[in-house]
Amino acid sequence: MAKESLIQHNTADYNIAVQTIKDAILRSQYQAAKLVNREMLSLYYGIGRYISANSRDGFWGTGAIKTISERLRKELPGLKGFSESSLKNMRMFYEEWSPVLESSDTPSSISPIMIGEIETTSLLSSKSAITIDDLELFCNLSFTHHIRILNGEKDIVKRWKYIKLSIDNKWDSRYLQQQIKDNVADKYGAMPSNFSVTIRDSRDAIKSLNMFKDEYILDFINTEEIGIRDMADIDERVVEKEIIHNIKKFIMTFGRDFAFVGNQYHLEAYSEDFFPDLLFFNRELNCLVVVELKTGNFKPGYLAQLMTYLRILDDTVRKPHENPSIGIVLCKNANKDFVEYVIQDYAKPMGVATYRLSEDMPEKLREALPDVEELKKLL
């Protein structure tokens, strides 16, 4: 009798849970015929709060979330996105973000005995402990992206950085997942440069610094495919040729809002000819970006060469409405401290980043990357 009573009790609880979640879904759909991202996140956050409060202390019993998911799909035929794993992701979404999104005086969960309406407007609450701008970014990122970040990164600061990087660079969720594996959050903004002293507007200086990473993974350059067995034999022209061949992939790797202008771009000053390796225009920074490729270690002379290119670009190519050009030396290896030491004496904005080819990576990482043929199909 006791077992039968427990089953009836659980069934009653599940009925209430199913009805409560179903009502929240229908109410949300009523408020917006086509759920916008903010509304969806608010809904998922509210459902996550409800599930967390009722499942963590055993109130619902084992297998409750699976049972509720199955019942929901029967109650709402054609419903997608509310599988058992999805409901657990909603719970994680709430539990991971509620300490950040809700102030200390806001209840962190709903009591198990509270079975009324699910609150779906939590993300719009003025009680949030974060800034409005951060909240806007948070609400503009898809739920799938959020789950990738929560599963792949535990550090709260880096999570916020991945949210911003995903939105700024328009990363899809799979690409975001790879970026988290590569720990790119530590690479953006870490490139040694003189932007802080050469770019007058501090906001532009910060934007420029955050635009570039200190290291780029050029995994589409396969030295075996192009017939080079020894990495010491590869030269700048080979790297340049492979970048041009895979220019879309390079731009995705390099960052957002870059447009390719040309390679070996002809510059002339006082009858002297110069040919910078790669020239881009960045829409966000509103400036030309010249990239000089080097296959060896960083040398101070590379900055002098870059300085010449920037001077000529600003005098002969840059439009009146554009910001001063930026130069990047992309080399195999660089001592950051030394670069910081020598770069400050140059009057043009420039930085030094490094790159890795697929042959430089650990075997396990190389196996996880798509092969060159797949990339060619994409391009």
Side-chain angles (χ1 to χ4, degrees):
M1 289 293 293
K3 184 177 181 180
E4 183 178 349
S5 176
L6 179 60
I7 292 175
Q8 291 177 345
H9 174 70
N10 284 342
T11 300
D13 289 337
Y14 296 163
N15 288 340
I16 293 171
V18 169
Q19 188 62 43
T20 302
I21 294 175
K22 185 178 78 171
D23 288 347
I25 294 170
L26 293 175
R27 187 175 73 252
S28 183
Q29 290 176 331
Y30 176 79
Q31 291 173 350
K34 184 178 180 180
L35 293 176
V36 295
N37 197 62
R38 181 190 296 271
E39 178 66 21
M40 288 178 68
L41 289 183
S42 296
L43 174 66
Y44 296 159
Y45 187 84
I47 291 175
R49 180 204 296 266
Y50 180 76
I51 293 174
S52 176
N54 287 280
S55 64
R56 285 304 189 191
D57 59 1
F59 182 72
W60 277 346
T62 304
I65 297 177
K66 180 179 180 181
T67 302
I68 292 169
S69 173
E70 292 172 350
R71 289 283 303 276
L72 277 172
R73 282 180 284 183
K74 290 181 180 179
E75 295 275 348
L76 296 171
L79 179 68
K80 295 181 180 180
F82 292 88
S83 65
E84 179 186 4
S85 60
S86 295
L87 292 177
K88 289 181 177 179
N89 281 338
M90 293 175 200
R91 179 175 64 182
M92 176 178 66
F93 182 58
Y94 165 72
E95 290 177 346
E96 292 291 325
W97 281 114
S98 59
V100 179
L101 297 177
E102 300 180 15
S103 59
S104 58
D105 61 344
T106 303
S108 60
S109 63
I110 298 177
S111 168
I113 62 172
M114 292 180 64
I115 52 177
E117 287 189 338
I118 291 174
E119 177 58 67
T120 63
T121 57
S122 300
L123 298 184
L124 305 179
S125 173
S126 60
K127 295 179 180 179
S128 175
I130 62 174
T131 67
I132 295 299
D133 289 342
D134 283 340
L135 189 59
E136 285 295 325
L137 286 173
F138 185 91
C139 292
N140 285 335
L141 194 66
S142 77
F143 184 66
T144 302
H145 282 73
H146 275 293
I147 296 305
R148 298 277 196 195
I149 293 172
L150 293 177
N151 282 326
E153 180 57 66
K154 301 304 179 185
D155 183 85
I156 186 65
V157 175
K158 289 185 181 180
R159 283 177 174 176
W160 277 113
K161 197 159 190 177
Y162 283 121
I163 288 174
K164 294 177 182 178
L165 287 171
S166 296
I167 292 174
D168 289 343
N169 294 289
K170 298 178 177 60
W171 289 344
D172 62 41
S173 62
R174 290 185 179 181
Y175 189 75
L176 166 63
Q177 186 176 36
Q178 185 60 52
Q179 298 308 292
I180 295 173
K181 288 181 179 179
D182 293 339
N183 196 30
V184 300
D186 285 340
K187 301 182 185 302
Y188 278 96
M191 181 185 71
S193 72
N194 62 358
F195 294 160
S196 62
V197 295
T198 57
I199 299 178
R200 295 180 179 179
D201 191 315
S202 60
R203 292 169 298 181
D204 288 342
I206 292 172
K207 281 197 295 185
S208 298
L209 185 58
N210 289 328
M211 184 65 67
F212 302 99
K213 293 183 283 188
D214 70 334
E215 182 181 61
Y216 295 90
I217 299 177
L218 308 184
D219 51 71
F220 52 82
I221 300 180
N222 190 316
T223 55
E224 293 178 3
E225 185 186 67
I226 58 182
I228 296 176
R229 296 182 179 180
D230 190 343
M231 285 295 296
D233 293 335
I234 193 169
D235 62 24
E236 286 89 351
R237 289 299 177 90
V238 173
V239 176
E240 178 188 329
K241 180 180 177 181
E242 288 301 301
I243 287 176
I244 299 304
H245 184 67
N246 297 277
I247 193 64
K248 290 183 180 178
K249 177 65 176 177
F250 179 75
I251 289 176
M252 283 182 62
T253 302
F254 210 56
R256 66 182 186 276
D257 285 336
F258 281 93
F260 180 56
V261 177
N263 66 301
Q264 294 300 309
Y265 191 89
H266 181 219
L267 299 176
E268 182 180 356
Y270 296 98
S271 300
E272 297 286 341
D273 295 316
F274 301 92
F275 299 90
D277 291 333
L278 300 168
L279 185 63
F280 299 88
F281 185 83
N282 186 272
R283 294 174 58 212
E284 165 117 4
L285 301 177
N286 190 33
C287 72
L288 292 163
V289 178
V290 60
V291 178
E292 192 65 12
L293 300 169
K294 304 296 177 184
T295 56
N297 296 331
F298 168 78
K299 296 179 182 178
Y302 297 158
L303 297 178
Q305 180 184 19
L306 198 58
M307 180 74 177
T308 301
Y309 295 160
L310 293 173
R311 171 69 68 184
I312 300 173
L313 279 170
D314 283 343
D315 288 347
T316 65
V317 180
R318 179 170 70 100
K319 304 293 185 183
H321 66 278
E322 295 173 358
N323 291 323
S325 305
I326 289 176
I328 304 293
V329 173
L330 195 57
C331 55
K332 281 290 290 166
N333 300 290
N335 182 320
K336 287 187 178 181
D337 293 333
F338 179 63
V339 173
E340 292 280 9
Y341 176 70
V342 299
I343 203 171
Q344 301 304 320
D345 286 334
Y346 288 88
K348 295 287 187 181
M350 58 180 72
V352 176
T354 59
Y355 66 87
R356 281 189 290 159
L357 307 182
S358 60
E359 283 71 18
D360 301 323
M361 302 176 203
E363 188 64 28
K364 287 185 178 181
L365 178 58
R366 288 171 59 184
E367 291 174 356
L369 296 171
D371 61 31
V372 175
E373 290 305 315
E374 290 182 33
L375 289 174
K376 285 181 178 178
K377 291 177 183 178
L378 291 173
L379 299 174

